[in-house]
Amino acid sequence: GKDVIILAIKPQTMKKVISDIKDVISERQLIISIAAATSTQFIEDCLGKNIPVIRAMPNTPALINEGMTVLCPGRYIDKRHIKMAMDIFGAVGLVEVIYREELMDVITALSGSGPAYTYIIIESLTEGGLRMGLPRELAQKLTAQTLLGAAKMVLETGMHPALLKDAVTTPAGVTVDGLMELEDGGIRVTLIKAVSRATEKSKELSR
Ligand SMILES: NC(=O)c1ccc[n+]([C@@H]2O[C@H](COP(=O)([O-])OP(=O)(O)OC[C@H]3O[C@@H](n4cnc5c(N)ncnc54)[C@H](OP(=O)(O)O)[C@@H]3O)[C@@H](O)[C@H]2O)c1
């Protein structure tokens, strides 16, 4: 009899869980699924009734209220449902709504998987500091707060990252040498390919 039912289960168990609950679900309830690679249509079809379904792609920083969630409404969704879902996920971070469900694959690859990519970057910058003699704990703190600060600069100023980068890069300075090594290592292409490859994988798993 609840207004909202959140399906926070693995995609493989979706069909079974829905078949267990579908008899007690009615059209005036809202189903929100956070399962990756599982379309609203798949869930609607499993339910076999005109049940409002919203597909959500949250990420793990929701644990500390810094989540990024993208919502995609199914066929039987109205504005009131979207507002309810925005309130729920808005309590643990930022929320966006999209209507083109095919974009959920790249969203999964970008903000869903993104924390994992970022942890690799944090580990590596930390090891750079470590290699040059910084204590590990300090190196890790400097790295994480620097990423957080830079991310907030982008979100809060709305400026292009290239302009923000230029502001710390002085002629014949220190930063430009670091940037040159990053470019030499192909960091841009590597990150672009990571998102592309993970998007392809999400598409492969989708149903
Ligand atoms: N991890 C992420 O960053 C992330 C981001 C976005 C979306 N997702 C999606 O979130 C979903 C859950 O991921 P997770 O990492 O939280 O997985 P998880 O830790 O394995 O959690 C799965 C949950 O489903 C429950 N469950 C399993 N079978 C069930 C059944 N037959 N009936 C009712 N409940 C059942 C489990 O309960 P018990 O513990 O009692 O077995 C558990 O609480 C996945 O579909 C994933 O694609 C994850």
Side-chain angles (χ1 to χ4, degrees):
K2 300 288 181 222
D3 294 337
V4 182
I5 295 147
I6 298 182
L7 297 175
I9 51 171
K10 297 282 186 198
Q12 312 86 276
T13 54
M14 186 60 78
K15 208 170 185 163
K16 158 101 182 54
V17 169
I18 292 179
S19 80
D20 287 348
I21 63 174
K22 71 177 182 187
D23 292 341
V24 294
I25 290 186
S26 79
E27 275 90 346
R28 48 157 215 87
Q29 291 171 305
L30 167 64
I31 299 234
I32 300 176
S33 158
I34 68 159
T38 309
S39 65
T40 53
Q41 198 192 329
F42 179 84
I43 296 169
E44 289 161 357
D45 290 351
C46 288
L47 285 160
K49 291 183 258 186
N50 299 356
I51 309 278
V53 174
I54 287 181
R55 176 174 173 188
M57 178 45 62
N59 65 10
T60 51
L63 277 169
I64 52 149
N65 299 337
E66 290 290 352
M68 180 72 244
T69 304
V70 179
L71 303 173
C72 181
R75 259 192 295 177
Y76 310 111
I77 290 296
D78 62 35
K79 282 206 171 77
R80 197 180 49 94
H81 298 125
I82 293 179
K83 163 95 175 59
M84 283 163 92
M86 286 185 83
D87 285 347
I88 292 170
F89 290 97
V92 292
L94 303 182
V95 185
E96 290 287 331
V97 181
I98 58 141
Y99 294 87
R100 287 169 56 201
E101 190 159 356
E102 69 274 16
L103 295 180
M104 289 305 269
D105 292 307
V106 58
I107 287 161
T108 304
L110 186 59
S111 52
S113 307
Y117 314 153
T118 313
Y119 297 133
I120 287 202
I121 295 170
I122 293 178
E123 260 193 297
S124 308
L125 290 172
T126 299
E127 278 165 17
L130 202 71
R131 183 155 191 258
M132 291 296 115
L134 275 185
R136 175 178 287 283
E137 217 174 303
L138 181 59
Q140 185 167 300
K141 188 173 196 176
L142 299 188
T143 302
Q145 176 60 23
T146 301
L147 260 71
L148 183 67
K152 277 197 167 170
M153 287 285 275
V154 172
L155 283 177
E156 286 176 23
T157 68
M159 276 169 74
H160 193 290
L163 290 175
L164 294 166
K165 182 201 68 180
D166 283 0
V168 275
T169 314
T170 49
V174 171
T175 309
V176 72
D177 275 32
L179 289 175
M180 195 181 68
E181 282 299 328
L182 290 177
E183 298 287 5
D184 192 41
I187 189 166
R188 289 176 193 258
V189 173
T190 303
L191 293 173
I192 293 166
K193 282 164 89 176
V195 175
S196 313
R197 176 87 180 258
T199 303
E200 291 311 318
K201 180 69 175 191
S202 175
K203 283 192 203 297
E204 251 175 71
L205 297 177
S206 281
R207 58 180 188 182

